[in-house]
Amino acid sequence: MKLRPTLLALAATVMVLPAMAKDVTLLNVSYDPTRELYKALNTAFAADWKAKHGDTVTIQMSHGGSGKQARSVVDGLPADVVTLALAYDIDAIADRGLLAKDWQTRLPDNASPYTSAIVFLVRKGNPKAIRDWGDLVKTGVQVITPNPKTSGGARWNFLAAWGYALKLPGGNDDKAKAFVKTLYEHVPVLDTGARGATTTFTQRGIGDVLIAWENEALLAKQEAGGDQFDIVTPSITILAEPPVAVVDKNAAAHGTREVADAYLTFLYSPQAQDIEARNFYRPRSPEVAAKYAAQFPKVKTFTLAEVFGDWRKAQSRFFADGALFDQIGPGN
Amino acid sequence: MRRRVLPGFGLSLGFTVTYLGLIVLLPLSALAWKASEIGLAGIPRLLSSPRTLAAFKLSFGGALVAASINVVVGLMVTWALVRYRFPGRRILDALIDLPFALPTAVAGIALTAVYAPNGWLGRWLVPLGIQVAYAPLGVLVAMVFVGFPFVVRTLQPVLQSLERDVEDAAESLGASRLQTFVKVVLPTLLPTLLTGFALALARAVGEYGSVIFIAGNIPLRSEIAPLLIVQRLEEFDYATAAALGVVMLAFSLVLLILISMLQRWTRRWAEQHA
C-alpha cells in the first residue's frame, strides 16, 4: 500500500520532466564534404539552444552524394532538415510532396547560408600556366572533374565553364557548347563524385588541373600539407549556392518544426557564419567575410539564376537523359 | 508416402519457398514492376542507344573474359594448394578469401593505387604503353580480382577428393602427363570448373564499387552498365534505372541457364566416359 504513492510520484515526475527539459533529436541529411562543417555547427547550435530553452538537442548527420541523399529522403529517410549541394536535389524532394515547392524563398539568400565558388587546383608552381578557363583547353592539358551525370558538384563545374564561354566577348550558346565539348575532351577520368575526383588529382597524380569547389580545394591543399598545390581563381566563375531546407512533412511528424527552423536560421548567425568561413565556405555576412578576406580572394561570380534560370531548367537542358551533356560528353 | 530420413519435409519446403520469395523474388518483382513503367516499347529504345550497348558490352564482355582468366589461373592455384605442401601454404590459402571479405570500394582504391600512372606497377606499365587504370583493362583487372575466390573455393573440395590412384593408373597404362590431364583429370573437373566460371561471371557482371574506381568511366569506352543505372537514379529516373536492371537480370539469367545446361551435359558426358 505504501508503494502506490511513491509510484504515483515517480510517474508524475516522469510526466513533468519532459515539459521542463526536452530532449530533441534532429536528423540533418547532408552531402559529402560537409562532415567537419556540421560537426562544428551542431555543437554550437546545441549549446545555443540549451542556453536559450534548456533543452538538449542532438543532431544526427547523414552524409553521402547529394543526389543519393535526396533519393534516400524521397524513399523515406526521416530527415528533419536537408542541407544539400544543389537546389535541384531539394526540388526533387519537394516534387514528392515532402516540403513546400517554394522552399527556396523561405530563408534569406536563396536558402543558402554559405556559398562557394568554382576554382582550379593546380600542381605547385602551376607548371602548365593555368590562369583562366581558356587555359584548360590548351593542348596537353589534362583536366580532372567528376561526371555531371552522377555528381552535383560536377554540375556546378559544368555550368561555370559554360557561363565563362557565354560571357566572353561575342559569346553565345553555340560557342559555349563548343568550348565545353573541347573541355571535356581534356578529361581522362570521370569520377562519380567530387571527393573521388580530388583523390584522382591529389593522390593518383592524374591531370594538370582539378576543377573544384573552393572549400574542397582549400581543404585538399591543407590536407596535402606542405606546398604541393596552388589554387587559381579564374577571371569569372559561378557562385555555388548549396541550399538548406526543413522537410515539412517529417518535421511535423516528429514535432521538431520549431527546432528545425531555429537550426537553419542559426546558420545565418554571426557565430555560425564564422564557423562556416573557418571550414572554407564563403560566409554571406559581409562582416565575417571581411574578417576572412585573406582566405577568400575577390572573385567575379555569376549566379545560376542570372544565366540559367533555375535548376529545373538547367537540369533538363544540360544533364537529363539525352540532353546537352549526353550530346557533347566525352566519347561522343 | 515413403518415409524420409529427415522429418518435416513439408515444413522445410514451405520455409524454403517463403524465404526465397522474401529475399530474392520479392525484390526482383519490385524491380520488374518499377521497370514496367517505361513499357515494353521503352526497352528497345533503351537498348538501341550506342552508349547503353557499349556499357553492356563492357560489363558482359569484361565479365566473360575475367571469368575465363579466373578459371585457368584458379585451376593452377588450387592445384598448387591441394597437391603440394610448402611453407606458407595455409597463409596463401587464407589470402584467397580476401576479395570476398574486402569492401569493394576498398578493393577499387587498392587496385587503383597499384595501377595508377604513379602507382607501384602503373609507373612501370604506363611507359610501356600499357594503360591499366582508367581504361577498359582496369575494369578487367577489378573483375578478375573480385571473381577469383569463387573459382578456387568451388574447385578446392573436388580436387581434394580426387584420388591420386586414378592418375597413377593412367600413367602406369602408358598415358603421357598431358593425356592424363586431358582425358582423366579435366573431365572430372569440368562441371566444377563451369560452376566456378558461372559464379565468377555473375560476380563480375554485377560488380560496381571496385570497378568504378579504376574504370575512368568515360562513356562508350570504360563505362560499365551498373554505372548507367546509377546515372539514371541520379536523374531521379527510377523506371529507366529499373529497366536497365531488368535487362541485366535477363542477360545474366540466360547466361547462367546456359552454363548450368552445359554443366549437366559435361557431367553426363564425364559419367559415360568414366
Side-chain angles (χ1 to χ4, degrees):
Chain A
M1 266 327 217
K2 258 189 132 180
L3 210 67
R4 194 168 281 167
T6 329
L7 270 180
L8 273 175
L10 206 75
T13 322
V14 170
M15 280 161 72
V16 169
L17 255 179
M20 285 153 60
K22 281 184 291 187
D23 278 335
V24 193
T25 306
L26 282 186
L27 174 61
N28 176 4
V29 171
S30 194
Y31 63 109
D32 256 332
T34 59
R35 236 168 274 265
E36 297 79 13
L37 170 70
Y38 275 101
K39 211 175 144 196
L41 283 171
N42 292 346
T43 317
F45 174 71
D48 186 66
W49 188 261
K50 180 126 201 159
K52 283 181 186 150
H53 305 266
D55 305 341
T56 308
V57 185
T58 315
I59 297 148
Q60 292 175 333
M61 294 297 305
S62 161
H63 297 276
S66 188
K68 200 177 103 229
Q69 294 294 77
R71 228 158 38 237
S72 303
V73 175
V74 166
D75 290 342
L77 184 67
D80 301 284
V81 298
V82 283
T83 53
L84 296 175
L86 28 117
Y88 176 70
D89 290 328
I90 302 186
D91 281 340
I93 302 173
D95 285 345
R96 270 71 174 182
L98 286 168
L99 71 159
K101 295 235 176 195
D102 67 345
W103 62 270
Q104 210 169 5
T105 58
R106 298 191 299 197
L107 284 163
D109 301 320
N110 291 326
S112 310
Y114 42 82
T115 66
S116 194
I118 303 302
V119 299
F120 307 146
L121 191 69
V122 296
R123 304 200 182 280
K124 183 71 199 163
N126 198 358
K128 297 269 166 114
I130 287 151
R131 309 259 171 257
D132 205 355
W133 289 98
D135 299 323
L136 302 190
V137 297
K138 284 193 301 198
T139 341
V141 172
Q142 282 197 325
V143 182
I144 302 298
T145 176
N147 191 341
K149 306 282 282 186
T150 54
S151 156
R155 272 170 239 168
W156 286 110
N157 295 356
F158 178 100
L159 296 176
W162 185 279
Y164 157 80
L166 204 60
K167 281 171 184 288
L168 281 179
N172 57 35
D173 282 346
D174 285 338
K175 284 184 182 163
K177 184 173 169 180
F179 174 73
V180 171
K181 182 174 164 52
T182 319
L183 175 65
Y184 278 89
E185 279 162 9
H186 286 250
V187 178
V189 181
L190 274 177
D191 283 285
T192 50
R195 198 39 78 77
T198 309
T199 311
T200 299
F201 182 74
T202 59
Q203 306 293 315
R204 313 266 175 265
I206 308 269
D208 303 299
V209 50
L210 172 76
I211 310 179
W213 290 48
E214 185 178 46
N215 60 287
E216 180 78 355
L218 283 163
L219 191 67
K221 195 169 181 261
Q222 179 188 277
E223 290 289 314
D227 285 319
Q228 293 191 43
F229 305 105
D230 289 336
I231 292 175
V232 173
T233 311
S235 64
I236 186 165
T237 189
I238 200 164
L239 185 73
E241 298 178 293
V244 301
V246 174
V247 183
D248 298 340
K249 272 220 167 131
N250 295 346
H254 306 157
T256 50
R257 179 85 223 187
E258 192 195 352
V259 189
D261 276 334
Y263 179 58
L264 294 189
T265 315
F266 174 76
L267 300 178
Y268 293 86
S269 71
Q271 188 195 359
Q273 292 276 303
D274 198 77
I275 294 173
E276 288 147 20
R278 265 184 282 148
N279 282 279
F280 307 128
Y281 283 91
R282 286 182 181 242
R284 289 285 194 182
S285 143
E287 293 81 38
V288 180
K291 191 177 152 196
Y292 289 88
Q295 181 174 306
F296 302 113
K298 272 217 173 318
V299 54
K300 207 171 135 203
T301 58
F302 56 89
T303 64
L304 181 100
E306 281 161 27
V307 181
F308 304 101
D310 59 33
W311 266 110
R312 286 173 206 268
K313 284 188 195 132
Q315 179 71 23
S316 65
R317 183 175 168 201
F318 296 110
F319 309 120
D321 184 23
L324 208 131
F325 184 76
D326 279 347
Q327 294 158 31
I328 63 127
N332 280 23
Chain B
M1 208 163 95
R2 219 155 53 85
R3 287 179 65 88
R4 290 183 171 78
V5 182
L6 289 172
F9 171 72
L11 192 66
S12 48
L13 183 71
F15 176 78
T16 308
V17 171
T18 315
Y19 190 78
L20 271 179
L22 276 176
I23 295 293
V24 181
L25 292 178
L26 193 68
L28 288 186
S29 2
L31 183 73
W33 178 73
K34 257 286 174 221
S36 68
E37 285 175 21
I38 73 161
L40 269 181
I43 299 268
R45 187 175 49 81
L46 201 66
L47 286 180
S48 61
S49 137
R51 185 140 161 235
T52 318
L53 282 180
F56 277 126
K57 218 167 105 187
L58 181 63
S59 270
F60 283 95
L64 280 168
V65 177
S68 311
I69 295 174
N70 273 331
V71 162
V72 176
V73 180
L75 177 59
M76 292 196 290
V77 170
T78 320
W79 191 270
L81 282 176
V82 170
R83 283 300 167 88
Y84 304 105
R85 293 290 171 269
F86 50 89
R89 191 181 67 96
R90 278 172 183 280
I91 296 173
L92 265 186
D93 193 49
L95 276 181
I96 306 275
D97 282 334
L98 222 52
F100 269 151
L102 214 57
T104 53
V106 176
I109 291 169
L111 287 172
T112 316
V114 169
Y115 289 105
N118 64 353
W120 294 341
L121 290 177
R123 74 180 67 198
W124 306 106
L125 291 174
V126 172
L128 297 174
I130 305 170
Q131 172 100 29
V132 180
Y134 312 121
L137 194 54
V139 176
L140 189 66
V141 169
M143 285 175 167
V144 168
F145 180 84
V146 296
F148 182 65
F150 287 91
V151 176
V152 178
R153 290 301 179 233
T154 317
L155 218 51
Q156 214 167 16
V158 181
L159 211 54
Q160 262 158 357
S161 66
L162 193 67
E163 295 295 337
R164 221 175 170 150
D165 332 355
V166 195
E167 287 162 54
D168 293 342
E171 210 174 327
S172 69
L173 288 170
S176 71
R177 281 183 173 199
L178 186 71
Q179 276 175 322
T180 312
F181 182 75
V182 172
K183 298 207 160 165
V184 178
V185 179
L186 207 56
T188 339
L189 290 183
L190 213 53
T192 323
L193 280 173
L194 281 171
T195 308
F197 181 84
L199 291 173
L201 176 86
R203 175 68 196 268
V205 168
E207 181 58 20
Y208 178 75
S210 61
V211 174
I212 56 152
F213 273 99
I214 200 172
N217 308 319
I218 304 288
L220 293 172
R221 209 166 72 83
S222 56
E223 188 176 62
I224 54 165
L227 179 61
L228 274 187
I229 296 179
V230 174
Q231 295 187 6
R232 293 299 166 263
L233 288 175
E234 214 59 35
E235 291 155 8
F236 299 99
D237 185 357
Y238 290 48
T240 310
L244 282 166
V246 167
V247 172
M248 289 197 78
L249 186 70
F251 267 147
S252 309
L253 265 181
V254 169
L255 270 176
L256 291 178
I257 288 171
L258 277 179
I259 292 168
S260 109
M261 275 163 62
L262 205 60
Q263 212 179 333
R264 246 203 329 224
W265 178 78
T266 44
R267 189 166 286 142
R268 221 176 307 145
W269 182 86
E271 275 162 12
Q272 278 166 13
H273 290 76

